[in-house]
Amino acid sequence: MSKHIRFSFLIIFCISSWSVFGQSGKIKGLVTNQDGNPIEFANISVKGTSKGAVSTASGSFEILGLSDGQFTVTASSIGFEAVSQTVTINSGGTVEISFSLQEVLQGLQTVEITGRREIGYDNKETFSGTKTASMVKDVPASINFVTKELMLDQVAFTVNDVVKNVAGVNQFSFYNDITIRGFRVQGQRNFGTLLNGMRTFTSFWKPQLIPHIERVEVIKGPVSALFGNASPGGSINRVTKKPLAESRKSISASVGSFNTLRTLADFTGAMTEDKKLLYRLNLGFENSDGFRDLQFSRNLVIAPSFAFLPSENTSLNFDIVYQDSKGRLDRGQAAFGNRDLFTTPITTSLSAVNDFLDETTINTTVSLRHNFSDKISFNSTYQLSSYTEDLLEHRTSNRFASLADGSFDETKVAMRVFIRKRSWNNNAINNYINADYQIGSIKNTALIGYDYFRQEQLPGGSQLEARSYLLKNGTATNGFNPANIDNYALDANGNPATNVAHFDLTSPTANGMRDMSNYIYNTVTFNQFLQQSHGIYLQNQSEIGPLKVLLGLRQEYFTDYLNYNSPAEEKVDQQALLPRVGLVYTLNPTINFYGTWVQGYQPQGAAGIINPEAGGPFDPLTSEMFEVGAKSEWFNKRVSATLSLYQIVERGGLYNANDPNNPERLVQLGEEESQGVELNVTGNILPNWSIVAGYAFNDAKITQADDESVIGRQKPNAPRNTANFWSKYIFENGSLNGLGIGLGYNYVSDRFGSIVSSERPDVFPSYGIIDAALYYKIDKVQFQVNVNNLTDKTHWVGGYDVIRAFPGAPRNIMTTVSYTF
């Protein structure tokens, strides 16, 4: 260890020691509910200081290092009214107090203005499931969470890193591209990806960053009755960290494999003594080369958030997320044409060293809540998001090198070049009113709302494309047709001459600098387009004894303006009426049964397809889901579990058309069906023993199609079986006090790649990955070592075919030092 490192640790140790031993007063006590039962994870704070604690499973807590004087101590917990007491510490003594908190569901926020106080892997409340403050167990839907605590324990940095903790969810590719119950959720589209419950625009090429995220929510099934345009499998909602009234500060630094460096910072607290103005600032930086040739990530996140609480009835939140991402676009590993993925190293990428991908995303959210009375509240949210893409890439033409006789040289990959710039602006508005009322003995909560979403591609969007093969007329094309060989320029061997040289999979220098000066380019202009939707929705939740009934209805109006602001402007209108019915029956205080029926809707005009050569416009996707299940709480409500059985039918999905003249063209298939069973378990068996586990069986297949050969096939990148497990245990006594261990396992069964682009789909094999971690905490400093893919298992997280396969990372190690103050 160098002198500088030893000196740094000495300084940290001295600061930590001074902060703990320089003051010796102590407050200890107990937190219970009105029945005398202990409340775990209650937050206890000391006004005017940064001191605080969280109650254990027995409801006990201790706050150390207080000076002499008088203090106001407050105990609070989600679903309970906060209680404060005044205590006096003399001569460094110990004061014992107890709190009895009254349960009050109305105490939940109707909009998430301030931060989540729960600490741990479990999450008891939801806002997105019904757009009302609800306990998760009372919502007739499967909603799974990955909290920031689990993200930190697994040193996760992107959404792709955390979806492995949710049954029925897996990666489709390297990108912002996820499969939920066999259905795809992608970036650069206005469905399936939510930020703070609002439809937003994201990158497709890079996974979404999470240093500023409080939790990732996966809402299973088509949630169109609330959000309109939605994927049949489900939606992923990222909830940003919001301000807290108590002071919390943390910083961490991680270094590890693939030249990875990460730093995180999270600061929150009150800006005024009356705690009516709160702040939070999250910072994240990553610099990593990754395990793939020429690939790298340079990511910066700056995310300030402010909450203004002028009165008990009114609150306002202002939230900004700035993300800057630099790297190269990784189109995946290409193997030789014998379909054996092991024939080339998983590090093989097709990029050239002069490629780049620069992306900038800015999201701004303003949320207002106002209570007109204790029964009527108004909520309004506005979100503005912008995204800019600047790209240069050498990429495959999705086929091997063509030879004159129509065969292929399967050691070389046909290539092309894209140089592209595009920008989007997106506006979303959501306004709704909640009203509690009672008819006889039946309690009701009504919701009426209106939302608007507008997505616009800005002027100037354009692309230069250098295609694969030269034609005699001085242009270029991506495909070679031997029947028209006279139209092609030929090389000395009589094979089609290349405009962009093939990528030689056997060459150790294939990733070198490419001379682009002689390429023949075609210019593609992305005409402005505008998509906008209006939705009016109604919902009523009734409580009839142990039975809760949810009825919802949404009228959606969608308009797609193609060639916007030009003489060729074309307007495409669609609309849909979207119902939702849900039932929850409380068998006893720890078990609820539920059932739900919903219909989904997803417009897919040509402007909304990522690739302009895909074709269209296409008919909208429609979907329908039936689901039944049970939700339970164990170990004094510390552990939550959801068991669900479902059937989803979708009509109108898009797949590759296998068109030799346009390899990007898509076709609509008739019908797809997904049915299965899922089990998710999350929480704390003991206060020092956390667990997340799940299993999913998913039978997702094509049931109707023009091409009868694909009927009955499993959908692309939709594994029939997935399983996940992660557990963390912290020793609290004896010589091992402060030491913790973590162990995880993830299994994904084999999957098909693209099912239409070839008669025999490529298969990506099953895999099981073991992860492990070691933790050691000394006061406010924690040392953490994570080993991912402990057995160095070669595996693929997804892919299209052997030319575009997406391998998972080999064994890697991350070492993290965190400090809280």
Side-chain angles (χ1 to χ4, degrees):
M1 185 180 294
S2 71
K3 290 182 179 180
H4 296 294
I5 295 176
R6 287 198 300 268
F7 183 67
S8 299
F9 277 124
L10 180 61
I11 291 176
I12 292 174
F13 177 78
C14 291
I15 293 173
S16 302
S17 300
W18 178 84
S19 64
V20 173
F21 299 114
Q23 305 173 82
S24 57
K26 180 168 67 174
I27 299 174
K28 60 186 296 186
L30 189 68
V31 184
T32 62
N33 62 17
Q34 62 266 36
D35 299 322
N37 296 319
I39 299 176
E40 185 183 7
F41 298 132
N43 184 77
I44 300 91
S45 60
V46 181
K47 184 176 180 180
T49 76
S50 60
K51 303 294 184 181
V54 176
S55 61
T56 66
S58 62
S60 62
F61 66 89
E62 279 191 358
I63 302 174
L64 306 175
L66 292 166
S67 59
D68 291 350
Q70 191 175 75
F71 299 95
T72 299
V73 184
T74 301
S76 60
S77 183
I78 297 297
F80 294 87
E81 284 191 8
V83 174
S84 297
Q85 295 187 41
T86 300
V87 300
T88 301
I89 295 177
N90 293 314
S91 303
T94 298
V95 176
E96 295 190 16
I97 58 176
S98 62
F99 294 93
S100 178
L101 305 187
Q102 301 294 313
E103 189 169 3
V104 50
L105 182 61
Q106 290 84 353
L108 296 176
Q109 307 175 60
T110 53
V111 174
E112 199 157 2
I113 300 291
T114 58
R116 166 183 174 269
R117 291 187 175 89
E118 288 181 281
I119 297 175
Y121 292 177
D122 199 10
N123 187 72
K124 299 294 186 185
E125 62 176 349
T126 178
F127 306 91
S128 56
T130 58
K131 289 194 177 178
T132 60
S134 302
M135 305 305 289
V136 174
K137 66 179 182 179
D138 294 330
V139 178
S142 179
I143 305 176
N144 306 128
F145 303 87
V146 179
T147 64
K148 68 178 184 298
E149 290 77 17
L150 179 54
M151 299 176 198
L152 292 171
D153 285 347
Q154 296 182 345
V155 289
F157 202 75
T158 70
V159 170
N160 288 25
D161 294 333
V162 304
V163 294
K164 64 183 181 182
N165 296 292
V166 180
V169 183
N170 61 280
Q171 294 187 62
F172 194 100
S173 67
F174 284 150
Y175 313 134
N176 181 17
D177 191 8
I178 304 295
T179 299
I180 304 177
R181 290 183 171 178
F183 296 96
R184 202 171 175 185
V185 173
Q186 302 164 269
Q188 281 192 14
R189 306 220 189 162
N190 58 13
F191 68 88
T193 301
L194 307 173
L195 182 68
N196 294 322
M198 302 283 284
R199 277 187 284 161
T200 190
F201 194 87
T202 62
S203 165
F204 174 72
W205 309 118
K206 295 291 185 179
Q208 292 302 289
L209 306 177
I210 56 174
H212 59 297
I213 296 299
E214 175 69 35
R215 66 186 179 274
V216 175
E217 302 176 341
V218 180
I219 311 168
K220 303 288 185 61
V223 289
S224 295
L226 279 181
F227 301 105
N229 184 359
S231 170
S235 298
I236 297 177
N237 182 33
R238 293 163 295 132
V239 180
T240 56
K241 295 176 183 176
K242 303 297 193 303
L244 294 168
E246 60 268 19
S247 177
R248 295 184 186 178
K249 302 178 180 66
S250 66
I251 57 175
S252 69
S254 301
V255 293
S257 302
F258 319 131
N259 295 319
T260 298
L261 166 66
R262 293 175 185 165
T263 59
L264 304 175
D266 184 357
F267 308 104
T268 187
M271 301 181 71
T272 58
E273 287 190 10
D274 59 7
K275 296 188 177 181
K276 290 187 176 182
L277 182 60
L278 314 177
Y279 81 96
R280 193 156 192 168
L281 175 63
N282 278 269
L283 305 172
F285 174 75
E286 178 187 44
N287 183 32
S288 176
D289 290 343
F291 72 97
R292 304 264 299 146
D293 295 341
L294 288 189
Q295 303 307 316
F296 70 93
S297 293
R298 307 286 187 270
N299 296 307
L300 174 66
V301 177
I302 302 174
S305 180
F306 302 93
F308 178 50
L309 313 171
S311 70
E312 291 184 357
N313 292 322
T314 305
S315 56
L316 180 71
N317 178 267
F318 182 64
D319 192 284
I320 302 175
V321 180
Y322 171 85
Q323 298 181 75
D324 182 78
S325 179
K326 300 184 186 302
R328 294 188 178 95
L329 178 49
D330 190 350
R331 292 285 181 170
Q333 171 199 1
F336 294 137
N338 59 7
R339 297 184 178 275
D340 184 354
L341 293 169
F342 292 89
T343 55
T344 60
I346 62 171
T347 57
T348 300
S349 78
L350 304 182
S351 298
V353 71
N354 42 330
D355 291 349
F356 62 83
L357 172 60
D358 296 342
E359 298 175 297
T360 302
T361 304
I362 302 174
N363 286 290
T364 304
T365 306
V366 180
S367 299
L368 170 69
R369 172 197 63 87
H370 179 73
N371 294 331
F372 293 103
S373 69
D374 59 352
K375 296 185 181 299
I376 301 176
S377 65
F378 171 73
N379 301 279
S380 180
T381 304
Y382 170 74
Q383 185 178 99
L384 170 65
S385 60
S386 64
Y387 169 79
T388 300
E389 171 189 281
D390 188 3
L391 168 71
L392 165 61
E393 65 162 334
H394 286 76
R395 58 157 297 183
T396 171
S397 293
N398 304 339
R399 63 190 66 201
F400 290 102
S402 295
L403 300 177
D405 60 2
S407 63
F408 298 94
D409 180 351
E410 296 182 343
T411 66
K412 296 182 176 65
V413 179
M415 299 293 290
R416 51 183 164 163
V417 170
F418 284 174
I419 304 174
R420 182 167 66 228
K421 291 180 182 288
R422 292 186 292 183
S423 297
W424 285 266
N425 276 345
N426 301 268
N427 293 267
I429 300 172
N430 190 14
N431 300 288
Y432 58 92
I433 293 175
N434 291 112
D436 296 329
Y437 66 99
Q438 192 159 336
I439 301 177
S441 61
I442 302 176
K443 298 178 181 179
N444 296 271
T445 298
L447 170 73
I448 179 171
Y450 164 80
D451 59 35
Y452 170 76
F453 181 83
R454 172 191 173 105
Q455 177 185 115
E456 181 180 2
Q457 181 169 286
L458 302 179
S462 53
Q463 174 176 292
L464 297 178
E465 179 182 354
R467 297 178 176 175
S468 304
Y469 299 107
L470 293 169
L471 297 174
K472 290 181 178 178
N473 63 8
T475 62
T477 183
N478 283 324
F480 172 68
N481 185 349
N484 299 322
I485 193 172
D486 291 340
N487 296 332
Y488 292 83
L490 303 178
D491 63 18
N493 296 317
N495 296 315
T498 59
N499 181 35
V500 179
H502 298 319
F503 189 98
D504 187 349
L505 295 173
T506 67
S507 171
T509 61
N511 294 117
M513 181 81 72
R514 294 289 190 107
D515 181 2
M516 302 171 58
S517 61
N518 295 321
Y519 293 165
I520 294 175
Y521 292 96
N522 295 337
T523 300
V524 177
T525 299
F526 302 125
N527 293 332
Q528 281 184 266
F529 75 77
L530 172 68
Q531 293 179 342
Q532 61 182 14
S533 64
H534 301 264
I536 301 171
Y537 52 92
L538 305 170
Q539 179 182 276
N540 192 78
Q541 299 176 82
S542 302
E543 186 174 341
I544 310 168
L547 181 66
K548 296 180 177 64
V549 180
L550 183 151
L551 300 174
L553 189 66
R554 178 187 178 95
Q555 178 64 54
E556 174 85 356
Y557 301 93
F558 176 82
T559 304
D560 193 2
Y561 295 87
L562 304 181
N563 301 312
Y564 180 59
N565 265 352
S566 76
E569 180 175 303
E570 179 183 356
K571 182 179 177 183
V572 179
D573 290 312
Q574 298 176 3
Q575 59 178 286
L577 187 65
L578 304 164
R580 179 189 189 189
V581 178
L583 302 174
V584 177
Y585 180 78
T586 301
L587 181 66
N588 58 49
T590 60
I591 299 177
N592 283 1
F593 292 103
Y594 74 93
T596 188
W597 169 74
V598 294
Q599 288 188 342
Y601 166 79
Q602 186 179 322
Q604 45 186 5
I609 306 302
I610 293 172
N611 192 328
E613 297 182 10
F618 300 101
D619 293 333
L621 282 167
T622 58
S623 57
E624 182 178 41
M625 183 184 76
F626 293 91
E627 181 175 328
V628 296
K631 300 183 180 184
S632 64
E633 295 177 321
W634 307 336
F635 300 100
N636 197 23
K637 297 187 177 182
R638 293 194 303 267
V639 175
S640 300
T642 301
L643 175 67
S644 55
L645 296 89
Y646 60 88
Q647 180 186 51
I648 304 172
V649 177
E650 177 196 69
R651 299 172 180 87
L654 297 175
Y655 288 88
N656 193 283
N658 197 25
D659 183 346
N661 296 315
N662 181 8
E664 305 302 318
R665 190 169 69 85
L666 301 177
V667 294
Q668 280 189 280
L669 294 178
E671 183 180 277
E672 304 165 43
E673 180 181 281
S674 172
Q675 53 187 354
V677 58
E678 294 172 349
L679 174 65
N680 284 276
V681 179
T682 182
N684 291 71
I685 298 175
L686 296 171
N688 59 323
W689 184 6
S690 306
I691 186 172
V692 171
Y695 168 75
F697 169 79
N698 175 249
D699 183 24
K701 58 189 178 183
I702 308 299
T703 52
Q704 294 179 12
D706 292 337
D707 182 358
E708 295 185 0
S709 66
V710 305
I711 295 177
R713 282 185 183 170
Q714 191 79 358
K715 293 185 63 192
N717 288 293
R720 292 175 65 86
N721 293 278
T722 60
N724 63 279
F725 171 82
W726 172 265
S727 183
K728 176 188 176 184
Y729 184 85
I730 303 294
F731 295 93
E732 293 187 325
N733 299 298
S735 60
L736 297 179
N737 182 39
L739 181 69
I741 55 174
L743 185 66
Y745 179 76
N746 287 89
Y747 172 79
V748 177
S749 63
D750 57 14
R751 294 131 290 144
F752 281 134
S754 177
I755 65 167
V756 183
S757 61
S758 64
E759 294 182 2
R760 184 166 63 93
D762 292 315
V763 176
F764 297 92
S766 62
Y767 63 87
I769 300 298
I770 299 174
D771 300 326
L774 189 66
Y775 311 89
Y776 186 61
K777 190 171 185 179
I778 306 174
D779 189 36
K780 297 180 179 182
V781 180
Q782 176 172 285
F783 302 87
Q784 175 178 340
V785 178
N786 291 75
V787 183
N788 300 313
N789 194 357
L790 184 65
T791 61
D792 202 21
K793 174 73 173 179
T794 299
H795 64 291
W796 288 264
V797 298
Y800 301 104
D801 47 39
V802 295
I803 299 179
R804 294 169 294 173
F806 301 106
R811 180 171 50 234
N812 59 93
I813 300 174
M814 291 290 291
T815 302
T816 303
V817 179
S818 303
Y819 180 68
T820 59
F821 55 102

